[in-house]
Amino acid sequence: MEKFVKLTSTVVPLPIENVDTDQIIPARFLKATNKEGFGDNLFADWRYNKDGSPKDDFVLNNPTYKGSILVAGKNFGSGSSREHAAWAIAGYGFKVVVSSFFADIFKNNALNNGVLPVVVSSEFLNEIFQSVKENPNATLTVDLENQTITNNATGNSEKFDINAYKKECLLKGLDDIDYLLSKKNLIEAYETSRTF
Amino acid sequence: MNTLFDKIWDAHVVSSIENGPTILYIDRHYVHEVTSPQAFNGLRTRGLKVFRPLQTTLTADHNIPTLHQDQPVQDPISRNQLDTFEKNAKDFQLPLFFPMGHAKNGVVHIIGPENGFTQPGMTIVCGDSHTSTHGAFGAIAFGIGTSEVEMVLATQCILQTRPKTMRITFNGKLNKGVTAKDLALYMISKLTTGGATGYFVEYAGEAIRNMNMEERMTVCNLSIEMGARGGMIAPDETTFAYLKDREYAPKGEEWNKKLAYWKTLYSDQDAVFDKEYTFDVSEISPMITYGTNPGMGMGIDQTIPTLEQVDEAGRISFEKALNYMGFRPGEKLLGKQIDYVFLGSCTNGRIEDFRTFAQFVKGKKKADNVIAWLVPGSRKVEKQIHDEGLHEILMEAGFELRQPGCSACLAMNDDKVPAGKYAVSTSNRNFEGRQGPGARTILAGPLVAAAAAVTGKITDPREFLS
């Protein structure tokens, strides 16, 4: 997995609440047997017309907004557990998703693919949306080591939570399977010790 | 003073990482064709085997057609995914593999319980968010992503942060014409679609105790629709009676031993939950949804909220949802014409749901303007529909039965509702495009679906019940 340490970038604003994983990647794109190419269909039904032409009113088709940070309304990633949603977000080039609230499974899936979900207060989220509205070139800085996110347009900053283990994994680019495999002896001992 | 959740979780902790997640042992891993291929590829890349093949059950469900299952799948991309699934089961020597057409094939959350794989006290995962269904047996069951599927295949363990606990108590008796699905949609409308995020829910109270296993599964199934990690119900005589003699349930002395353990699985009198809610179920009517997430639900005879009744922050999303659905704020939906009815899915594709639907439509006729997809949750459900004579009742009323699969719940196969059309669906999600691009989904229970199917419009099923 790719390492994540610190990132400064312009943002793509998506001020919609309850963006579910069916919107992030509709089910008809889940027929693949590898992880490649999902970025092209990220938000497919909001992004493209039926004939495949881009919908002008969707933010990903607006050249004013670009960058590797997606900022979305609360409860991002609800619904289906499909990790394809995380692959689509990573595949498109986003490294960070900022929201005031994430669905559990999506949060894990993102972390397992080197995409950092950053939870901010709803006030801070509104401030970011406001800054980007005023100036599409406004940037955010996400510093994983110090667990801070800074709105460079206002200079305001917030701390964000991440568990120490996951932070270490992202900083070093390690994944959970490597860790679990190193604990095989403990797992076998657990199996032998079970009484129920 | 432990909760049911604590008892099961604690019994499955292999070890804990300081300031980090727990290594949690998994008893049963369900695998389907859509969220597993990349995990098997991962094992190949790392040169790993499946650690515990007999704790791994595989069924094809999400991406299979519901017609002509005896013939090769037409869509080449779907066929490739199904072939890959079969190859993975073979390469990794997984004997509990139930492909399309197999007598034990069906929707993963239906075949698990009906074959006795799902048992009280277990930890259960699957690369599918509706894995919460299995919590109905008093198990910790939750959905996972594909990276986690790979972890479980490789080590039979998963890294998990302990969720908080919530208890939701349903007092009283359900009114006539009100199903378990209505109870769940009511609960989600009260808690909202993210209201239980971070929590593992235990359902309790008289209304839950009075439910059969199928109804309990419907309630637990929908836990994820309010964001919960999972939902569970303490096992009781109803649970044990359901499990007894199922093929993969324990037998003989082993049954007695397990039964003694299962009887210890309940929340202690003084157990403390991080959050508690209580509902009086006599207030619940048949429910429908009007928006584009399962929290946007209301009693079938109520009106959609007005703009003023919605939080200012949520108005953009609310208006976007109603615009998609073609509804207006403050509108009443009773009498609204609909186009499709879908009975099926891991939420309402069990034999009880077909009994309910068939009983309602008996002696009536399907409305001409309605296309109805009746999709049994499994081969066994399909067989039982025939064995119990429900098939004749349905045929008589103008309905046809399709073959088992996830079908129009997520519309990965050809069962897609066309853009702009209204579907009264017994499934679990009314997200934009969920049942096909542009499709408009109204979630409901099997009785409301049956009433819509015979009248061609949104109809209160209580009008027909004496």
Side-chain angles (χ1 to χ4, degrees):
Chain A
M1 202 169 70
E2 218 178 300
K3 288 183 192 177
F4 184 100
V5 182
K6 191 173 177 176
L7 172 77
T8 296
S9 169
T10 51
V11 312
V12 176
L14 185 67
I16 305 284
E17 296 183 351
N18 304 313
V19 174
D20 58 77
T21 53
D22 273 83
Q23 306 318 314
I24 299 173
I25 186 86
R28 62 186 184 280
F29 299 112
L30 309 187
K31 298 180 182 182
T33 54
N34 58 35
K35 298 182 186 178
E36 281 81 52
F38 289 103
D40 295 340
N41 293 313
L42 175 66
F43 296 118
D45 290 339
W46 287 350
R47 190 171 158 196
Y48 304 114
N49 290 310
K50 241 182 167 176
D51 63 3
S53 60
K55 288 185 181 176
D56 294 338
D57 60 351
F58 187 61
V59 67
L60 291 191
N61 299 322
N62 184 343
T64 314
Y65 300 104
K66 50 196 167 300
S68 44
I69 302 178
L70 176 68
V71 184
K74 78 168 180 205
N75 198 25
F76 186 83
S78 59
S80 159
S81 62
R82 60 189 69 164
E83 194 161 321
H84 312 67
W87 299 332
I89 284 175
Y92 185 83
F94 289 119
K95 307 264 185 228
V96 173
V97 185
V98 179
S99 178
S100 56
F101 196 82
F102 287 94
D104 279 336
I105 305 179
F106 175 79
K107 204 196 292 183
N108 278 345
N109 287 341
L111 286 165
N112 284 332
N113 288 280
V115 172
L116 177 63
V118 175
V119 183
V120 297
S121 68
S122 47
E123 294 76 30
F124 197 73
L125 185 70
N126 287 336
E127 188 198 288
I128 298 171
F129 283 135
Q130 195 55 38
S131 297
V132 179
K133 203 171 172 183
E134 286 163 14
N135 176 12
N137 295 319
T139 60
L140 296 177
T141 298
V142 177
D143 179 345
L144 179 58
E145 185 69 62
N146 294 308
Q147 294 176 225
T148 56
I149 174 167
T150 306
N151 178 355
N152 297 312
T154 61
N156 289 337
S157 195
E158 264 195 8
K159 279 283 233 188
F160 63 85
D161 274 343
I162 179 168
N163 79 53
Y165 165 81
K166 272 292 171 196
K167 180 176 170 179
E168 193 73 4
C169 285
L170 276 177
L171 287 171
K172 294 186 175 158
L174 298 174
D175 69 29
D176 289 350
I177 298 177
D178 299 326
Y179 179 83
L180 281 172
L181 287 170
S182 75
K183 301 293 176 191
K184 266 285 178 63
N185 55 338
L186 280 181
I187 297 168
E188 278 165 340
Y190 167 86
E191 286 181 322
T192 328
S193 72
R194 245 171 88 147
T195 55
F196 60 92
Chain B
M1 42 179 282
N2 278 334
T3 65
L4 168 63
F5 176 84
D6 296 329
K7 288 179 183 178
I8 301 172
W9 177 279
D10 292 344
H12 289 84
V13 173
V14 172
S15 93
S16 293
I17 307 172
E18 208 179 323
N19 295 320
T22 297
I23 303 181
L24 193 70
Y25 190 81
I26 299 303
D27 294 320
R28 177 59 48 192
H29 186 192
Y30 293 113
V31 180
H32 67 80
E33 77 277 23
V34 175
T35 58
S36 67
Q38 295 85 354
F40 283 112
N41 285 349
L43 295 185
R44 282 195 184 90
T45 309
R46 293 171 200 255
L48 297 169
K49 291 194 254 188
V50 172
F51 186 53
R52 292 292 177 248
L54 295 178
Q55 285 167 241
T56 313
T57 304
L58 303 92
T59 181
D61 58 2
H62 281 62
N63 193 11
I64 59 175
T66 56
L67 291 175
H68 313 303
Q69 290 190 351
D70 53 328
Q71 293 165 26
V73 174
Q74 292 297 311
D75 172 12
I77 311 172
S78 294
R79 194 168 64 233
N80 175 58
Q81 192 172 55
L82 292 162
D83 291 347
T84 303
F85 192 48
E86 184 159 4
K87 180 172 170 16
N88 286 334
K90 206 169 170 188
D91 288 359
F92 289 92
Q93 298 175 324
L94 304 171
L96 301 173
F97 173 62
F98 309 130
M100 185 175 75
H102 191 286
K104 291 187 193 115
N105 175 257
V107 177
V108 61
H109 308 309
I110 293 190
I111 65 129
E114 75 182 3
N115 286 292
F117 288 112
T118 294
Q119 296 164 23
M122 280 185 162
T123 46
I124 298 170
V125 294
C126 173
D128 188 281
S129 60
H130 293 107
T131 308
S132 57
T133 311
H134 308 270
F137 290 79
I140 291 182
F142 53 91
I144 58 177
T146 299
S147 298
E148 295 168 316
V149 170
E150 188 179 339
M151 281 175 222
V152 181
L153 289 173
T155 67
Q156 205 59 39
C157 284
I158 189 168
L159 289 172
Q160 279 293 299
T161 307
R162 191 186 189 112
K164 289 180 278 189
T165 54
M166 179 187 288
R167 178 162 59 190
I168 305 181
T169 305
F170 293 96
N171 292 322
K173 289 188 171 63
L174 287 173
N175 291 318
K176 209 172 166 63
V178 178
T179 65
K181 177 68 165 288
D182 300 309
L183 177 145
L185 287 176
Y186 175 84
M187 164 181 75
I188 302 163
S189 76
K190 295 291 176 195
L191 268 69
T192 77
T193 185
T197 301
Y199 291 87
F200 214 99
V201 180
E202 179 177 345
Y203 302 106
E206 185 190 356
I208 298 291
R209 285 291 137 223
N210 285 341
M211 286 183 181
N212 60 38
M213 289 314 294
E214 283 85 356
E215 293 170 315
R216 293 181 189 186
M217 284 190 256
T218 298
V219 174
C220 288
N221 172 276
L222 290 162
S223 304
I224 182 70
E225 306 311 335
M226 50 183 187
R229 202 75 189 85
M232 67 201 309
I233 294 170
D236 58 13
E237 291 305 325
T238 307
T239 323
F240 310 143
Y242 177 99
L243 268 174
K244 187 123 178 63
D245 301 324
R246 301 243 165 202
E247 185 172 350
Y248 293 89
K251 303 278 166 10
E253 209 23 62
E254 184 63 14
W255 169 267
N256 294 334
K257 202 180 127 201
K258 287 280 187 196
L259 188 62
Y261 170 60
W262 294 344
K263 288 183 173 176
T264 68
L265 298 174
Y266 51 82
S267 288
D268 296 331
Q269 281 281 327
D270 52 356
V272 178
F273 291 79
D274 296 306
K275 210 165 200 173
E276 294 230 33
Y277 290 97
T278 303
F279 294 107
D280 172 2
V281 304
S282 69
E283 290 173 8
I284 305 176
S285 312
M287 296 284 294
I288 50 170
T289 61
Y290 56 83
T292 56
N293 73 57
M296 301 175 87
M298 64 181 189
I300 193 162
D301 50 359
Q302 292 178 328
T303 52
I304 296 174
T306 59
L307 265 185
E308 294 69 41
Q309 289 171 309
V310 177
D311 274 355
E312 214 173 318
R315 279 187 202 164
I316 297 179
S317 308
F318 177 76
E319 286 189 287
K320 185 175 188 298
L322 290 198
N323 188 35
Y324 180 87
M325 291 299 294
F327 295 152
R328 294 185 312 277
E331 190 179 4
K332 197 167 191 168
L333 295 184
L334 265 184
K336 190 120 194 146
Q337 188 164 317
I338 56 104
D339 310 291
Y340 283 74
V341 167
F342 173 53
L343 175 69
S345 87
C346 59
T347 311
N348 283 119
R350 298 183 186 80
I351 188 64
E352 270 299 317
D353 302 306
F354 281 83
R355 287 178 188 144
T356 302
F357 190 97
Q359 200 181 4
F360 188 94
V361 303
K362 188 175 184 178
K364 304 185 182 75
K365 285 280 177 206
K366 181 183 81 63
D368 290 339
N369 62 309
V370 169
I371 294 176
W373 290 330
L374 274 50
V375 185
S378 71
R379 283 269 166 185
K380 287 195 172 171
V381 171
E382 183 186 32
K383 182 173 181 300
Q384 211 168 339
I385 289 169
H386 285 277
D387 290 351
E388 292 184 11
L390 303 179
H391 187 233
E392 283 72 28
I393 297 173
L394 294 169
M395 294 243 294
E396 193 80 10
F399 294 94
E400 286 169 35
L401 212 55
R402 295 171 84 96
Q403 290 172 307
C406 295
S407 179
C409 175
L410 83 166
M412 265 192 88
N413 65 2
D414 290 337
D415 307 346
K416 290 180 175 61
V417 175
K421 297 288 183 192
Y422 289 100
V424 172
S425 178
T426 66
S427 55
N428 39 58
R429 288 184 175 139
N430 50 350
F431 296 152
E432 284 185 32
R434 172 77 177 185
Q435 298 197 286
R440 292 161 161 172
T441 302
I442 296 162
L443 295 177
L447 269 182
V448 172
V454 296
T455 60
K457 51 195 183 189
I458 296 177
T459 303
D460 191 333
R462 292 173 297 191
E463 289 173 21
F464 291 85
L465 304 171
S466 48

